[in-house]
Amino acid sequence: MNQIRVEAPDWQVAEIQQVEQTSSDETNSVEEMEMETDEIKQVEQNREANPVKGNELTTKRGTKPPLNFRAILTDKKIPMDRFDKSSPDELCKQLYAGVFLEPNALKYYVDEKLNKNCFVVFAKKLSISWIDQYWGWIEEKDTSGEVIEVAKLKELGVCWLNIEGKIRTIDLSPGTEYEVVFVVKMNGYQKTWKNSVALTIILPSSKSLTRSENLSGKPVGIWIDVKVGEFRMTPENVGEITFKLGEYSPVWKKGLVLKCAIIRPKNDQALGC
């Protein structure tokens, strides 16, 4: 397995797997994930055998960002000189706040409690059916203060509601239970949502996970999470996942505002956009 050595601050000397967009690299990434998963299991075993020692290992691991954070940033040509590398704490603070990999479209952040990679796919990067005919764009600020655009249904509404997003799983944290949520706002018209929406995740193996949820009783005028589903980041799930929200009945649906989709660990309830 090819490896490159990346210059790092004196508090961190790490070997990072070379990330390429080829099928052979996906194979290498699967092997890397298996090794990191084994490392996590070893820490857990140490904690069970010796609680004090196990907690020390966990603490040390948590003071540094995920090992592949550099690969994620360099893949999107984000210069490292934007970050304070004087200490792991300062670097982590910036990663906890989030980094836009694509302006107004894709954000990467690290969960502060779990030290796991998370991603926010904003509405501009999502595929929305009939976007030009039945939707409009309005400006909002995300949690970092950056200006983003959210998609808002026009007064007429839409009959064929179909929202879809995709993300590479290679950048997610190995062995982690993830959830996918859409962040939306309901601006009234609750009666037009009498039919439940279908929420689907399609895994790299083509396995499809679908659930339904009724939006008619949701709070009005605030951002809410609509859970799509869950999956575990295993070697079998290296590839690309697709997540969808849809409702295709003849009823014209109104009052929906779409902000983003978040891919985050199950225990992370902090809004990432």
Side-chain angles (χ1 to χ4, degrees):
M1 186 186 304
N2 293 331
Q3 295 181 328
I4 57 172
R5 186 168 297 276
V6 180
E7 292 186 4
D10 52 11
W11 52 265
Q12 180 187 42
V13 179
E15 290 186 349
I16 304 172
Q17 299 294 336
Q18 184 177 6
V19 178
E20 299 175 347
Q21 297 180 354
T22 61
S23 57
S24 61
D25 177 70
E26 258 187 16
T27 301
N28 291 341
S29 300
V30 170
E31 294 174 357
E32 179 186 0
M33 181 178 293
E34 289 172 339
M35 288 189 293
E36 187 165 345
T37 301
D38 290 341
E39 181 184 350
I40 294 171
K41 289 180 179 178
Q42 184 62 52
V43 171
E44 292 173 347
Q45 290 171 0
N46 288 340
R47 188 190 302 131
E48 292 176 359
N50 187 334
V52 175
K53 184 178 180 181
N55 287 336
E56 288 175 353
L57 287 171
T58 304
T59 301
K60 290 177 182 178
R61 184 183 180 85
T63 59
K64 298 179 182 179
L67 286 178
N68 65 336
F69 85 97
R70 288 175 179 270
I72 293 171
L73 298 176
T74 55
D75 182 56
K76 293 294 185 178
K77 297 180 172 57
I78 306 297
M80 288 303 299
D81 57 14
R82 285 179 46 183
F83 300 90
D84 185 346
K85 301 187 289 294
S86 61
S87 73
D89 288 340
E90 292 304 315
L91 175 58
C92 285
K93 284 180 182 178
Q94 291 175 278
L95 295 178
Y96 297 154
V99 181
F100 272 86
L101 303 179
E102 299 175 25
N104 196 29
L106 181 64
K107 184 169 77 171
Y108 162 62
Y109 73 97
V110 175
D111 175 78
E112 185 172 357
K113 293 180 180 179
L114 303 176
N115 199 42
K116 304 290 186 181
N117 291 330
C118 311
F119 291 87
V120 182
V121 184
F122 289 96
K124 274 291 187 180
K125 195 174 177 65
L126 297 171
S127 174
I128 306 173
S129 298
W130 302 103
I131 183 65
D132 296 326
Q133 290 85 352
Y134 301 120
W135 297 78
W137 295 100
I138 58 176
E139 289 188 346
E140 290 269 351
K141 286 188 177 181
D142 86 314
T143 53
S144 67
E146 293 276 351
V147 175
I148 59 169
E149 290 182 276
V150 301
K152 180 181 180 181
L153 275 176
K154 295 179 181 179
E155 186 66 25
L156 178 63
V158 69
C159 178
W160 183 274
L161 176 67
N162 189 72
I163 302 167
E164 181 177 324
K166 297 181 179 181
I167 195 164
R168 296 168 55 205
T169 61
I170 192 65
D171 295 328
L172 299 178
S173 299
T176 303
E177 292 283 347
Y178 276 92
E179 66 178 6
V180 181
V181 301
F182 282 106
V183 180
V184 304
K185 184 188 295 184
M186 309 297 294
N187 284 338
Y189 303 100
Q190 301 300 76
K191 291 182 179 180
T192 68
W193 296 94
K194 63 181 181 180
N195 296 313
S196 296
V197 297
L199 300 151
T200 304
I201 293 179
I202 303 175
L203 298 174
S205 63
S206 297
K207 181 180 179 181
S208 180
L209 309 173
T210 301
R211 61 182 297 271
S212 61
E213 186 163 342
N214 194 287
L215 303 182
S216 63
K218 298 296 184 182
V220 174
I222 62 172
W223 294 112
I224 60 172
D225 292 348
V226 178
K227 186 173 181 177
V228 184
E230 304 171 358
F231 66 98
R232 185 173 179 82
M233 193 56 244
T234 62
E236 292 75 17
N237 281 333
V238 171
E240 183 178 72
I241 63 166
T242 300
F243 39 93
K244 300 180 180 182
L245 183 155
E247 208 288 300
Y248 314 105
S249 73
V251 178
W252 285 78
K253 292 154 280 290
K254 301 180 181 182
L256 181 69
V257 186
L258 172 66
K259 190 175 188 181
C260 63
I262 307 177
I263 299 88
R264 66 191 183 194
K266 279 180 60 177
N267 293 333
D268 176 15
Q269 297 303 315
L271 190 64
C273 69

